[in-house]
Each structure stands twice: as C-alpha cells, then as structure tokens.
Amino acid sequence: MTEQTTKNSELLSVMKQALKVNKKPFPWVKAFSAGLAASLPILIGLLAGHLDYGLIAAMGGFTYLYVFDVPYAQKAKKLLFVILGLTLVTALGTLVAPYPLAIAIVMGLIGAAAIFMFGALRIAGPSAIFFVLVFAMTTGMPVQPEDALLRAGLVFSSGMLSFVIAMLGWFFKPHGPETNVVKRLYEELASLLESVGTETFNEAKHRVMSALRDADHSLAAGYIPWRKTDYFKRLYLLNSQAHKIFLYIVENFSDDHREQQPELAKSVHHIAKTLDQKNPMVQDYKNLRQSSDKIDEKIELLLERIYDADAIMNEPASRINQDIPVNKQSILQVLGGAFDKNSIVFITALRFGFVTIIAAIIAYEFGFARSYWVPLSSVAVMSGFSIVATYHRGIQRAFGTFVGILIASFILSIHPSGYLIALFVLILTFITELFIVKNYGLAALFFTPNALLMAESTSQGGFSFSYFASARIIDVMIGSLIGLMGVWMMGRKSASSRLPHLITKTIRSQSQLLLALFSNQGKGFDATESRELRKMRTNLNNLNILYNTAAGEVPVDRKALDYYWSVLYSMNSLSYLLENGATDNRPELSDEVLAQLLYVCESMANAASRKRIPTFQEVPPIEKFPSIQKEIIALQKSLRNEASV
C-alpha cells in the first residue's frame, strides 16, 4: 500500500513538473527575429512569383532557433554548422523520398549524429529535432529527386538570411556575451565573500567554480586570433584576476569563521556593475583601508587583488598589450573523448537513432497518413536530457498537440494562401519562441499549427478538420509512446550504473596529471597542452554529464545521488586546482611524496570501482599548493561516505 502511494505521488510530481510554467522573462527580440527569419523567405518567394520556393526556403529559417547568447565568433561557427546540416538533410530527404526503408534508416542516422554532436560539444539548443523535421518534411513533398540541389540551395539561402539577422548585434555590442559571463563571475565572487564564515560557503564556492568554467569557455570561444581588441584583452585579464582572487579566498578564508567586512563584497559588486560602462570609476581603496580597524594582513592582500581587478578596465592600452594564451581543445579531441562505450552522450545517441528508426519503420509499414509525423513525435519526446525530462516532454507534447490541432484546423479551414501564410508563420513562430522559455507544452500549442501549415503547404495536402484531428492525433500518440517505451526499456539505469566506473577513471586521470605537474618532465614540457590535462578534462566532463543524466532516472535513489554529489563536488574542485597548477610555477616533489600521493589516489580509485569504503591514507603536504592537499583529503572523506550508501 505504501509502495503504491509512493508511486502515485511520484507520478503526480512528474505531472506537476511537466505543467509548471517557468518565471524566465519573455525573449521579445529573439522571438520577433525568429518570426522574421521564418516568414521573410516566404515573402520573398511571393514577390518573386514562386510561393512554393518560398515555403521550401522557410525551412532554412529554423536556423535562427539555434541562436543563443554565446560569443559571436562561436555563434557564427555554430550557425554555419546548422545551415550546412539543414542543407544536407534537405538534399538527402529529396533523394531518398521514394524509398521508405531508406527514409527510416537515414532519419535515425541524422538524429543520432545530431544528438552526438550537440551533446559532445555541449551546444545549447533544440539539438536534433529540426534536422529530423526538415528531413521528414522534405520526404513528404512531391517525389522529385532531380530537385535535390534546388531545394537544398533554397534552404541554404534562407539559412544565410537567418545568419545575417543573428549576427546584427555584433555591430552594436561585439563582446556583449563575454561581458555578461564575466559580469556574472564577479557577482558570484562577491556572493562568495559574503558567505565566508557561514554554512553557505561551499555552495557559493561551487557556483564560483561553475562561473569560472563558463567564463573560460566563453572567452576561449570568443577568441579570434586575427582580431584582438583592447576590450577583449581587458575581459581576459579580468577573468585571470578572478581566478587569483578565488584561489586566494579558498586558501585563506575557507576555515575562517569570523564576520567579514561587507565593504569587500561591495568592492567586487562594483567591478561587476561597471563592466559595461564606457568610463568606469576606480574605487577609493585608500579610504576603505582607513575606515576600518579590522583589516589584517590577509584582508590587505585580498584588497590588493580586488584593486588590481578594478584597475584593469582603466589601464592604458599599452599596459594590456600582451599575448592572450588561449588554451582550448580541438573539436576532434572533444568528439574523440565522447566517442567511448561508457560515454552517456554516445550511448544516448545510439539509443536515439535506434528508436527513431524503429518508429519510422512502424509508421511506413502500417501506412499512416503523413507517416513521418510518427518518428517526429518520438524524436520530440526523446529530446529530453533525462528520463524525467522525457516524461515531461511526452506529457507536454500530448497537451500541446491536442490544442495545437484545434488551432491548426481553424487556420487551415480558411485555406490560407500567399501573404496570409507568411503572416501566420510570422505570428506562430513569434509566439512559439516567446513561450518556449516558459513551458514546452505552451510552445507546442503554436509550434504544432506552424509545422502543419508549412508541411501541408509544401506537400499540397487537403485541409479538412477530420483529417487533422484523426491522423495527427494518432500519429503523435503512437510516436510519443514509442519514444517513451524506447527510453524506458533502454535507458532506465544506464547512467547511474556507470557512475562508479567513470569516477574511478576520472580519479586515475587526476593522479596522472598530479604526477605530470609535480615531477621532472624535462625541458619544453607544457602542462597546459599535456595529454594528461586533456584526458582529465574529458573524463570529468563525461562524469558531470553522466551524473546529471542519472539524477533524472526513474526510479531515482536520492540518498545515493546526494552522496555522489559530494564526491563530484570534491572531484570538480580538485580538477580546478590542478588546472590552475598547470599555469603556475610548481615545485618538483620528491619520489617519496609523489609515491604517497599516487598511492592515495589509487586507493580511492580502487575503492570507488569496487564500491567499498576506502581506507583513510595520510596525504603529504604539497609546497605552495596547500589547497590541493586539502581537496584530496576532502575527496577521501566524500568517498568514505559514498561507499557506505
């Protein structure tokens, strides 16, 4: 009875979460731009006397749906990749349209490839869904393989139009996204200072590490070797100084339980507030020192670091004219790291592709009207990043589709044509993008009629209410059920069962980097470019993705996840400290100290692999790097708790 009650409460909780409306602000500018990108190709086609070409080209407008607040250099590369991808799937859809089995296989391959690429490269956006949608819509058009290049060219041209619209902001604020992440970083640093001596210090510390990673990633992505502006250099130096401030706080104030001066946090808040000002004012640190009698040597040194950060935005250009040592992994290295049998990204991509193929084969074998809507519904449902998110998508898609069909039936009942189609596409895309940040189900209310309008206009289908009310609902329900069943059968515990193995693998890669950093590696050794550092980054990235996926499994062991969280927290902290150690002058440790450190790490790795309690080993001090020693001890303690679950 109790077990049944628990299941009912979990089901009710999933339903509530699926229907929850987020409090994020409406993205008015992005929504209007998305509507413009989708409707302009139709309008241009009308003016040229070829509405059919305009409707095909409108599919390239989906490119704008992959626009997010990332550096423009990264945005340009990402959108070009999307444009080329949509162009390719348009050509493939036209060529394989006569062959149902080929459609099913190619659709699965497209979905798997997109899921893998977006997951491995950690690209925000709708991932595979619009690649599969464009491919599916192309197969539903009149079968004319000879038009493959024409259709692909139309999609490419409208995709480039979306590219131009998306990049317009560069002319007004070329480093806006990078400024935002550095600004958030200093706000989090100020919050960390406010939390010193409180129970929230570790939580604030974790948020700062996350903000530092985001800032590193954003600045590396926004770096253009042939265009190094003074402002970008200042942002880079501010980020470097933030690392120094954070490490100083962690090393000197982690165990400090005294009340801190609010002026310190206010000084850091001031840096964040003045980042986007043209002529920022330097704070009067002299008065701050004189106004308090509580400033000791530690706080004095912290103030100096904060002052150095504040002064960066006011330094003359000659003082900041230096090379920027940007260190980032190549795309091949990232993809290679994710191409592993224990990588959840790789496993998810295989599952996604397989279920999509099965859904497509079922749809075409049973002869459903507009068969491609069945696998499309499976793809939409499976686009959730976890099992729980998949259930949410299923519920949201069912709700949104039922109401969306009513809207579509009304629109199509008036037989829209010409400029009216362009107007409807503009309005529906605009509203979809407004509500996608609030709830996927609300967005589906308007995405469904939009997709139907474009698909039926390009395929020259009929517009009767009974056709849409029956065929579309049946297609969506069957596709959603196939997607849910596929994820349930193949992915219920695939993430959590792999956590111990990947924790073991990551600890060993950390120990290898530890050895490389503090031993004699000979002349010319660059730790920031070392194989050990790249391997640790790859393993840690895979581990974090795996944990987030495991947190969304059904059923989920909350107690175990809480303990794993403490382990991941320590491992992320240790990795951050090791990465920073790769850029500093390091001592060469004795063989005895290195042997003991490696023994400690291997003991932890073996214990994690066997799910046993590790024996507590003495961690020798590391000269100039006391925080690394503290974090290894903290990891030991976390693993001892984790193994007892």
Side-chain angles (χ1 to χ4, degrees):
M1 185 69 179
T2 304
E3 184 178 349
Q4 185 62 40
T5 304
T6 303
K7 288 182 179 179
N8 291 337
S9 64
E10 287 180 353
L11 179 61
L12 185 62
S13 175
V14 170
M15 292 284 289
K16 287 181 178 179
Q17 290 173 18
L19 300 176
K20 182 181 178 181
V21 178
N22 297 320
K23 295 182 180 180
K24 296 179 180 179
F26 286 112
W28 296 100
V29 175
K30 182 184 177 183
F32 177 74
S33 299
L36 202 62
S39 59
L40 268 181
I42 301 175
L43 188 60
I44 293 171
L46 279 167
L47 294 174
H50 285 282
L51 174 61
D52 53 340
Y53 288 178
L55 288 167
I56 294 171
M59 295 188 299
F62 291 141
T63 300
Y64 196 87
L65 303 182
Y66 290 85
V67 172
F68 287 85
D69 189 27
V70 296
Y72 284 100
Q74 182 185 14
K75 186 181 294 185
K77 296 173 188 175
K78 173 184 173 181
L79 293 183
L80 286 174
F81 161 74
V82 171
I83 291 168
L84 292 175
L86 293 177
T87 302
L88 176 62
V89 299
T90 300
L92 288 173
T94 304
L95 292 172
V96 303
Y99 315 105
L101 183 59
I103 292 174
I105 294 172
V106 174
M107 188 180 291
L109 292 175
I110 289 170
I115 287 290
F116 179 76
M117 294 285 286
F118 276 77
L121 299 175
R122 292 189 293 175
I123 300 175
S127 189
I129 187 166
F130 288 104
F131 292 95
V132 177
L133 174 61
V134 169
F135 173 79
M137 289 173 65
T138 310
T139 62
M141 294 178 187
V143 178
Q144 296 170 339
E146 66 275 8
D147 286 348
L149 287 178
L150 172 64
R151 292 174 181 175
L154 290 169
V155 169
F156 178 83
S157 62
S158 65
M160 290 305 298
L161 178 62
S162 295
F163 179 89
V164 171
I165 295 172
M167 297 298 291
L168 284 175
W170 181 85
F171 292 99
F172 306 100
K173 206 171 182 181
H175 296 300
E178 296 97 314
T179 301
N180 291 336
V181 292
V182 175
K183 194 171 185 177
R184 184 175 78 85
L185 169 57
Y186 273 85
E187 290 288 358
E188 293 294 355
L189 269 176
S191 299
L192 178 65
L193 279 170
E194 291 170 345
S195 70
V196 170
T198 69
E199 294 179 354
T200 61
F201 180 80
N202 282 334
E203 183 182 343
K205 175 184 167 185
H206 178 75
R207 291 200 306 270
V208 174
M209 285 194 299
S210 176
L212 284 165
R213 282 194 296 268
D214 289 344
D216 287 343
H217 178 74
S218 182
L219 290 169
Y223 174 70
I224 305 175
W226 44 267
R227 188 179 183 275
K228 303 172 186 176
T229 63
D230 287 342
Y231 186 77
F232 184 84
K233 289 179 180 178
R234 294 181 196 275
L235 288 177
Y236 176 83
L237 292 174
L238 274 172
N239 182 53
S240 299
Q241 191 64 21
H243 280 279
K244 295 176 183 177
I245 294 172
F246 174 66
L247 285 171
Y248 186 82
I249 294 171
V250 170
E251 290 180 356
N252 293 277
F253 295 95
S254 293
D255 301 320
D256 197 328
H257 300 292
R258 60 181 169 169
E259 183 181 348
Q260 294 300 310
Q261 294 180 316
E263 288 82 3
L264 292 172
K266 287 180 182 178
S267 299
V268 181
H269 275 301
H270 172 82
I271 298 173
K273 289 178 182 177
T274 58
L275 259 181
D276 47 9
Q277 295 180 5
K278 289 186 177 180
N279 297 301
M281 296 293 293
V282 179
Q283 300 177 79
D284 191 349
Y285 289 90
K286 184 177 180 181
N287 286 341
L288 176 60
R289 290 185 176 98
Q290 292 174 350
S291 64
S292 177
D293 56 356
K294 297 181 181 179
I295 294 182
D296 58 16
E297 185 180 355
K298 285 202 303 184
I299 296 179
E300 178 72 29
L301 291 173
L302 176 58
L303 268 173
E304 287 182 9
R305 285 164 171 77
I306 296 173
Y307 173 79
D308 289 343
D310 196 20
I312 286 172
M313 296 305 289
N314 296 278
E315 292 281 7
S318 58
R319 293 282 299 276
I320 62 168
N321 188 23
Q322 56 181 277
D323 290 331
I324 300 177
V326 173
N327 178 34
K328 57 182 178 180
Q329 290 180 285
S330 69
I331 291 179
L332 289 179
Q333 288 173 345
V334 176
L335 294 178
F339 197 76
D340 182 88
K341 64 178 182 179
N342 290 301
S343 167
I344 196 65
V345 172
F346 180 65
I347 295 166
T348 301
L350 289 179
R351 181 181 66 204
F352 190 98
F354 178 75
V355 175
T356 301
I357 291 173
I358 296 299
I361 289 175
I362 291 173
Y364 285 103
E365 281 297 314
F366 284 89
F368 290 100
R370 298 287 184 267
S371 301
Y372 58 80
W373 287 112
V374 174
L376 268 179
S377 297
S378 296
V379 166
V381 167
M382 291 189 295
S383 294
F385 66 89
S386 65
I387 303 293
V388 171
T390 299
Y391 292 163
H392 289 172
R393 280 293 177 96
I395 295 167
Q396 291 164 347
R397 186 153 183 82
F399 166 74
T401 299
F402 281 126
V403 181
I405 285 173
L406 297 177
I407 299 173
S409 301
F410 169 74
I411 293 173
L412 294 171
S413 67
I414 63 176
H415 302 283
S417 61
Y419 295 103
L420 199 55
I421 292 178
L423 179 62
F424 276 129
V425 168
L426 170 64
I427 294 172
L428 291 171
T429 304
F430 172 73
I431 299 175
T432 298
E433 281 302 295
L434 271 187
F435 284 102
I436 195 71
V437 300
K438 297 289 186 180
N439 183 282
Y440 179 81
L442 290 175
L445 293 176
F446 306 98
F447 171 72
T448 297
N450 196 20
L452 281 169
L453 176 62
M454 293 177 66
E456 296 307 316
S457 297
T458 54
S459 61
Q460 301 173 352
F463 297 142
S464 68
F465 173 81
S466 59
Y467 171 80
F468 284 104
S470 58
R472 180 77 170 119
I473 289 175
I474 291 173
D475 291 348
V476 169
M477 296 307 297
I478 291 176
S480 298
L481 284 173
I482 292 173
L484 288 170
M485 288 174 62
V487 172
W488 173 256
M489 293 171 63
M490 301 171 63
R492 276 184 297 171
K493 305 295 288 184
S494 61
S496 57
S497 63
R498 288 176 168 82
L499 277 172
H501 170 78
L502 202 48
I503 287 173
T504 301
K505 193 174 179 180
T506 307
I507 292 174
R508 284 179 174 147
S509 63
Q510 288 176 326
S511 70
Q512 290 168 7
L513 178 58
L514 189 67
L515 175 63
L517 291 178
F518 296 103
S519 62
N520 184 5
Q521 297 294 315
K523 290 183 179 180
F525 174 71
D526 185 359
T528 60
E529 298 289 341
S530 65
R531 179 181 61 85
E532 291 83 1
L533 179 57
R534 292 198 300 269
K535 188 175 180 181
M536 184 195 72
R537 283 176 175 170
T538 298
N539 289 336
L540 188 67
N541 180 49
N542 289 339
L543 179 58
N544 284 321
I545 295 173
L546 192 68
Y547 176 84
N548 291 332
T549 307
E553 290 180 340
V554 176
V556 61
D557 188 342
R558 290 293 173 193
K559 187 177 179 182
L561 281 177
D562 287 343
Y563 280 107
Y564 277 127
W565 166 248
S566 67
V567 173
L568 259 69
Y569 173 82
S570 294
M571 293 178 72
N572 276 289
S573 298
L574 179 58
S575 293
Y576 172 81
L577 295 171
L578 290 173
E579 281 203 46
N580 273 275
T583 62
D584 295 331
N585 293 322
R586 304 175 300 277
E588 184 178 328
L589 301 180
S590 66
D591 291 344
E592 291 77 12
V593 171
L594 285 173
Q596 180 63 18
L597 287 170
L598 291 177
Y599 177 67
V600 171
C601 291
E602 187 57 29
S603 297
M604 291 190 292
N606 274 327
S609 176
R610 299 178 182 181
K611 299 181 183 178
R612 294 181 179 177
I613 299 175
T615 55
F616 195 84
Q617 305 290 339
E618 181 182 352
V619 182
I622 302 175
E623 184 185 348
K624 296 182 181 180
F625 293 88
S627 293
I628 293 180
Q629 180 199 24
K630 291 179 182 177
E631 211 55 63
I632 294 174
I633 294 171
L635 179 56
Q636 275 196 101
K637 292 178 180 177
S638 297
L639 281 167
R640 287 175 66 83
N641 290 331
E642 180 269 320
S644 64
V645 175

